[in-house]
Amino acid sequence: MNPEDQESSAVATLDPGPDKVIGPGHDYGSVTDEIGGVVFMPFLKTPRQLFTGFACAFVLVNLLMVAVTWLFVRGVGIWGIVIPVAWGFAIVNFVWWIGIGHAGTLISAILLLLKQDWRTSINRFSEAMTLFAVACAGMFPILHLGRPWLAYWLLPYPNTMWLWPQPRSPLIWDVFAVSTYATVSFIFWFTGLIPDFATMRDKAGNSLAQKIFGTLAMGWRGSAKHWARYQKAYLLLAGLSTPLVVSVHSVVSFDFAVAILPGWHTTIFPPYFVAGAIYSGFAMVLTLAIPVRRWYHLEDLITMRHIECMAKVMLGTGLIVAYGYAMEAFMAWYSGGIYERYAFVNRMWAGGYWWTYWVLILCNIAIPQLLWSRRVRMSVPAVFMIALVVNVGMWLERFVIVVTSLTRDFVPSSWGMYYPTIWDWSTYLGTIGVFLSLMFLFVRGLPAISIFEMREVVHHEAEPVHAHGD
Amino acid sequence: MAQIFPRSSNSLAKITIVAVLLAGGGILWAAYALNAGSFTTGVEVARDQNVPFSHKHHVSDDGIDCRYCHTSVETSSFAGLPPTETCMSCHSQIWTNAAMLEPVRESFRSGKSLEWTRVHDLPDFVYFNHSIHVNKGIGCSTCHGRVDQMPLTFKVNTLYMQWCVGCHRNPEKYVRPRDQVFNPAYETPAPNQDEIGPKLVAQYKIQSLTDCVTCHR
Amino acid sequence: MPTETRASGQLERVYGLMAEFDQPEPLLEAARRARAEGYRNMDAYTPMPVEGLADAIGFRTSWVERLVFLGGVAGGTGGFMLCWWITVIAYPHIVAGRPLNSWPAYVPITFESMVLIACITAVVGMLALNGLPQPYHPVFNVAQFARASRDRFFLCIESTDPKFDLEATRTFLEQLQPREVTEVEP
Amino acid sequence: MQKDLPQYWRSLEELAQTAEFRAFVEDEFPNRTPDWNDAGSRRRFLTLMGASIALAGASACTVQPKEMIVPYVRQPEDYVPGKPLFYATSASWGGIATGLLVESHLGRPTKIEGNPQHPASLGATDATMQASVLTLYDPDRSQTVTQNGNISEWGVFVTALTAARDSAGARRGAGFRLLTGTVTSPTLAAQIQEFLTAFPGAKWHQYEPCGRHSARAGATAAFGQPLNTIYRFDRAAVIVSLDADFLCSSMPGSLRYARDYSARRRAAAVNPNAHPPRLYVAEGTPSITGGMAEHRLRMRTSEVAAFAAALAQELKAPSNGSSAAVRAIAKDLRAHPGESIVIAGEHQPPGVHVLAHAINQMLGNAGKTVLYTDSVEANPVDELASLTELVNEMRSGAVESLLMFGGNPVYDAPADLNFLAELKKITFRAHLGVYSNETAAWCHWHIPEAHYLETWSDARAYDGTASIVQPLIAPIYSGKTPHDLINVLMNRADRSSHDTVRDYWQRQHPAADFNDFWQISLHDGVIAGTTFTEKMPPAAKLSTPVASAASGLEIVFRPDPSIGDGALSNNAWLQEMPKPQNKMTWDNAVWISPKSAEHYGVTTGDVIEIAFQGRKVNGPVWILPGHADESLTVHLGYGRTRAGKVANGIGFNAYALRVSSAVWQGSGAAFTRKSGGYPFATTQHTQTMEERDPFRAATFAEYHQNPGFANPPDKHVSPETTLFPQWQYNHHKWGMAIDLTACIGCHACTIACQSENNIPVVGKTEVAKGRHMNWLRVDRYYQGSLDDPETLYQPVPCMHCENALCELVCPVAATVHSAEGLNEMVYNRCVGTRYCSNNCPYKVRRFNFFLYADWNTQSLFGVRNPDVSVRSRGVMEKCSYCVQRINGAKIEAEKQDRPLADGEIVTACQQACPAEAIVFGDLNDPNSRVAKLKRERRNYGLLEELNTRPRTTYLARLRNPNPDLDKG
């Protein structure tokens, strides 16, 4: 460790309140140490909650292993899916996870372009979250196949059959969209990490850590020329990811919008899926950021300002989603088509799942309205609870869209019901376990906040002129 | 601060990158080679048989017509495999005590069938019909090769879908006059295939069938 | 470059001279002065991007965006051609009564491949242009340089600079009130 | 919803928005046992009889597993490897024969078709016949001779039987008894007679659990002799069915009747001047025939007699006393003398038959629409009396040896006879049977019987036409035939059935050309000149007037709609066939009317204990609209204990309530509710079309006035309505038309499809989840009032839409269109995203959620159609328009260099359909039958408004109600 560690440890970790993005008395060194310190914290000093949290998550991971093994042994029949409801939890979870995965890139890219100063201390964190969420999402399209071992047939590769994927199918669009999104998110995340790897390299106590971080840093030395190209590339990435993030959930929504099924076949899906994605994404960032900042005492870096801003975004996107629901229902009535109309009658009260619809309205629309009140936004526990509720609500939204629409479509004779089995639940919980495990490992092993960008913040805070300049 | 990495590590780093790229390409190539090789395709791999039957001997030397043994090739999806009876119709007179023919005689005595290893074997979800192909002027040797020159029989084509489709898309490249279908030594006479092909296709009303259900049901 | 410097064999001895600063602004100032002084081969090292620094040391580039543009074009075209080739050339099927070339359906794939290739070019291009990975670099020989990734700001005038003269340059740097001026081992 | 559309409703509970309705909705799939802990059911379904062979080859680019190929040693003459052969034979249920053509691959019978030359079939088959081929390969069939349950040998049995005969022979056969089912086989009859003459003391008893007691007794009562009645529905303008299910039941000739009846309906649809038949049905238990009725008069089964009497009375002397219905019907009948039919049900008491005969004579129908011949039975006796006599003698100890030819009296004899108790008194009990069933269990000897596809024999059809039963395959388990057994009794143990049958016919046809005669008879499947000649019976004498219905809760016994009297209950195809009336599988239930259910406070799924004449049985309730009030219907054939893996322990045994005094119906039943929530497995949960109109109907009159009724403007999509240029199909353009006017809803098509396309069976648990695999389902909708609705049947195969939504969304192009417009499903390309099913508005796609195809049971591989892939786990499948048949026919035509003729390609469902409701063909040929049908104005496409352009279309249903009675 460098001698500087002592001098900076004096900085108090107090939340500076809703107008500041960083606590008082921070300099370049102190932010470096506070964030880097987490990584080099002795193993046993790791916050207890982290151990317990990881333990629980890991149990769920094993549950997933069991569920998947049984799935491969027996077939998708172990799930509750039937004809007509041929898509169940797998697709619901897929859409849910992808949606959660949207916050990261949005924060890093769009807020970067919008020059939002409050993005800085949460972007790294939410990018990682994006990666892990997309990883969880990515599992489902493969798991839900009747013959998962043939999943590679969805890729365009030369083969002895002279056969290729069918690019008119939204599922192939998904393949391209999701893989692109995963790749780009990773690149984005890694690029952001390079300078911090350099910091870790130079901060590392032992030579192994030096070698590891040194390799990852690729010899980054903070040259002005490098910074110049680096910032250009980073800006371009942001510029490209912005339409990408919008496109990805639009494409996911095409899975439904392109189909003819009443309740799926809607032009409003792309915008309202994207809004919903951001909605759930921010909810998940809050769900994770609030405990982590507490455990690691990072209140001075992830301040009330961050939390309030995210709460506001949630409120805003939540309203867009509400508008989406309203339009859907209105169009169903206004279209005059009996199938379309019935789909909503079924969704709201006729069908077996009417209650899921109303719970979803409660979670996604009613409860978040509390965020209008500044007092609620200022209360960390309240925001945390609302974020949780929204996560549930967004999952239910996908359930209502996927399952309820399928239960009753055109020909009444083939209407049916869907009852999730224990294996549906295990797989779902399992992926939550995977997600959390990865998250816990990340916040322990890598700088969870972008250090070099924090230094910029310090710099701007120091000179208000620059803070609002550029 | 001391250097963490030696001077050489710069070049090492760049070499590693190149190496990884090359390795990736190499693996792809290897996979392709393995898939296209006869280990996978079985092409040109003579199968062991309980009776080392030689088409070369029976077709070239004895001049037996394909249909003498493969009786149903013109009428049925299945070309037909000769019953022991057929073998014995000759071998009750000639080579009556050749050791290699003992399994044949044994089968004829005991009434227990001879067992042959399939050389040309399609997956069970592929439905191939010999009769329509020979009736439309596709010769035996087009798919089975110069069987008349095989001491032990082997595949000359992969029988992969892309190979089938290749002909189904351009039958004119392979069709021959009906009277030549069973001539293993058939060579396209002048005028060359490009000229007679289209004519025969028209004459035999050959369609280019590439629908899935042509072969898969 | 002047022959006498080579004769004096300084090239072999030092990579350059490095001045260390506490804050970005003095560094910026120093860089401007050095350039005004006529130095060309220099570089500055900072723990975070400092605005105007690249200009100050007289560095301009636009290769990254060019590469990304090309990458984007290539990706987009590739994506669309793939779909078109698959459906029209490779194995034409009648699908849902649509024409073989149902181009509207190919838009998503076209777009995604565009973004994918563009993004990859952006990062790979950036690293390549920066000459990374480059784990070994003379500047790491400077003891204080560990703080270049933390809270110190460095200006390095390289010995390859035509105007570089160990003594003269050192005196020049001294005037900029750095914390310290050190020789950089090659 | 428009006024002119009939009122459709969803389910009883919905109509009356009761609290149960909620429960009903939540409980749409009552059985939710997750299969992972339901090992029992899993084991069952693994051992179930599905029809499939292993899909050996894996996906294309893998190493092919080594495969052996095994030629014949001596190849049969005239046999071309790889080509199926068809043989004529005949199957008989309850003794009455129907001619069949059986397809055979490599000596394996794989598919049953009707014999077009046979009067009882004309090419049609019913579900039972279609499924009978599966029984041949049933691994649960009895496979060895057993003595007291231990494996023994035929030789040993022969000795034992001879001994038994000799000991009886000492007393001229006294104490020796034969028990058979109804026998029409001339050969067998002759053999038995020979035996009886040799041993005058011996006796021959006949018993069919669901036999024709009433018809026989009725004819005897009316004419003094058990005449056989034949109906000519092609000549009938007015039909009154007194609880007679003549369209689809075990009634002799019902296949032929369905054909004639629907032919006349179809004709009337085309020709406004033709007179469509008008069908009145008086019944209590909804039947297929009732579903076709213009006017279904719902009454308790026991009231039908009174109704018949009233009708007869009204016809004799019109009076205002009788009800409006009776008067209207009588008027209608009188208006059509000589071209009407009054037909009494097999399950109605003899008195009703007498009345029917009398009325037909009164109307001059006898000899015109109703023909009489001698009984087709070799020895028509009152079987109930015959069995009772046997049991009494068993009780008195007069019976020393009993030889049972098939049958299962321990299970299905009337409960009051205590057959089992008396059986045990006999010293020598032998049972010949396809299964070692409940009766075999109590016999000293059991001999495996040859399946009819393994048998040489003969039998007579409903009109007396005799045909030879010839085997398609040598007995798999060296089964024996009744002929063999009699031969043993006559000391001719070495004599084969073939010789026995042949010799008999040689005696009948001693001419020199016998060989030709024999060959022709075998080839045609009918023996020329054996059809009985018509008789003119004396005037029917009306016996004592039938007693009017007794009061109290009535109980009605019926053979099960899918598995009949229980002989076929181990047939998984039939078990999984949805029963037409309630789409229920794998169970029998107590049917009760909505009103009575409300009155007694029971609902569907409640298990009740029925008490009848001191006997009790527990069974689950099913509320069936259209059922008579104050009446319970229970179905026979379930509750088997020794049927086999498939049928053991499913359903309840209604025979346990059935007494000889009340074989078909009885009153004074009572029941108490035991528990609720019995898990039924049904394939259709919604009985209405909501506001939709997948099924369109009108009366003939309305249609001829307004032919466009089936295509309202808001449903119609003109060919121009398209963003893209439509594909042109120039070569062939396959299409199908399904005539709802003809369709009777018998489900023969469903089983024919299952047999032709190797469709697996999934078991009750899976069906309950909603995973049944039928490619061709028959939707059943109700229309009209809750108590007495009209029942509508609509077969739904794949529509082969030109704009197929399934194709658009398949990511791997596993389902695409062929150049002839088939919607192809390529199993080996499918990865199983199931997106296609989600996007199919008709929901005709079926998915292999597990490995449904049985890859373990060797014996079942035989039944599979080698021309159709067996689907593996995780792939989608669906109707292919029997593309294997299309390709086959095309190849034959190409080889002969001739165009395909219309009708050359026949899909399995079309071939089986007794009503000829399904027609398949080339739409590019303007003269093809299908093209003509599609030109009819009543032709409409299901969900056409979605612009899917279905190739399968429907011809709207037309009815011919009596204006005087029309409820509108």
Side-chain angles (χ1 to χ4, degrees), chain A residues 72 74 77 79 81-83 86-87 144 146-147 160 166 169 255 260 339 409-410 412-413 417 419 422, chain D residues 26 28-29 35-36 42 688 692 769 771 779 808-809 811 830-835 838-839 843 873 945:
Chain A
F72 287 170
R74 288 292 323 280
W79 292 344
I81 46 175
V82 300
I83 303 293
W87 280 359
H144 100 295
R147 301 200 288 173
T160 61
Q166 201 275 98
S169 165
D255 290 348
I260 196 173
Y339 306 118
D409 62 345
F410 293 95
S413 68
M417 288 290 275
Y419 298 106
I422 181 166
Chain D
E26 261 91 56
E28 260 181 323
F29 282 89
D35 66 285
W36 57 273
R42 186 161 72 252
T688 176
R692 305 142 199 225
K769 286 202 183 91
R771 297 175 177 176
D779 289 348
L808 184 67
V809 298
C830 178
V831 297
T833 67
R834 306 181 297 284
Y835 199 176
N838 291 347
N839 209 26
K843 289 288 174 285
R873 157 191 146 190
E945 64 269 34

